[in-house]
Amino acid sequence: MKISSFILILSILFRTACGQVHPELKILTIGDSNGAAAEGWPEQLKKLFPSALIINKSISGNTIGFDNLQRESLNTVKNISSYLDEAYHQTGELDFILICVGTNDTKRIFVDQQKEVPENLSNIFTQIKLYISEKNKKLPH
């Protein structure tokens, strides 16, 4: 899928989810080099939603759940809590979390670990749900 097609789909989803373009959307983006690039997809998203606060945690080499290049900093499973902490510190809440990682997980070095990828992705989703649940428990009712 081309980046432009991806952004168009996101635009449609946001407009549908929000009923209209909400001027104060708070979005956390997590990605790899496609998101870290100067004109990557989070930057294109900023152009579509100029009033949105977009916290881009894309890092070249980032994976779903492997220590790429022997670096824990490139492992989303190990870093999702810090990404969420930073985003919530900046925004207080999030409207959307967009995760676009996985191409680095298919590197030849990880060929024998491919069965771990779905479990790693599920782990990320579980961590996000738990994190948000804990945040919501601390909010005054």
Side-chain angles (χ1 to χ4, degrees):
M1 177 183 301
K2 292 181 180 178
I3 294 291
S4 59
S5 300
F6 174 73
I7 297 299
L8 177 62
I9 291 167
L10 287 177
S11 175
I12 292 166
L13 289 174
F14 283 141
R15 290 172 194 266
T16 302
C18 298
Q20 62 184 26
V21 176
H22 192 280
E24 299 173 2
L25 286 174
K26 297 168 187 159
I27 304 168
L28 170 62
T29 62
I30 301 167
D32 54 20
S33 58
N34 295 311
E39 291 297 317
W41 61 270
E43 292 304 314
Q44 301 307 310
L45 196 60
K46 288 178 185 179
K47 291 176 185 176
L48 283 172
F49 302 99
S51 299
L53 175 57
I54 298 174
I55 298 144
N56 185 8
K57 297 307 295 178
S58 297
I59 306 166
S60 184
N62 202 13
T63 69
I64 293 171
F66 300 129
D67 292 353
N68 192 16
L69 306 172
Q70 289 81 43
R71 292 175 42 200
E72 285 187 10
S73 63
L74 297 177
N75 184 326
T76 302
V77 167
K78 291 182 179 177
N79 292 290
I80 190 66
S81 291
S82 65
Y83 297 160
L84 292 165
D85 283 342
E86 184 176 333
Y88 271 87
H89 179 73
Q90 289 183 35
T91 67
E93 64 181 349
L94 291 169
D95 296 303
F96 295 97
I97 301 170
L98 303 177
I99 303 172
C100 294
V101 292
T103 56
N104 291 303
D105 294 79
T106 63
K107 285 182 170 182
R108 172 165 272 153
I109 193 169
F110 304 125
V111 71
D112 293 333
Q113 296 173 276
Q114 289 306 291
K115 289 184 179 181
E116 297 174 33
V117 173
E119 185 177 321
N120 288 337
L121 187 57
S122 179
N123 188 345
I124 291 169
F125 294 148
T126 299
Q127 286 186 60
I128 290 170
K129 288 177 188 175
L130 289 171
Y131 188 98
I132 292 170
S133 176
E134 286 301 311
K135 283 287 183 193
N136 288 340
K137 285 180 188 175
K138 294 177 183 177
L139 293 174
H141 297 307

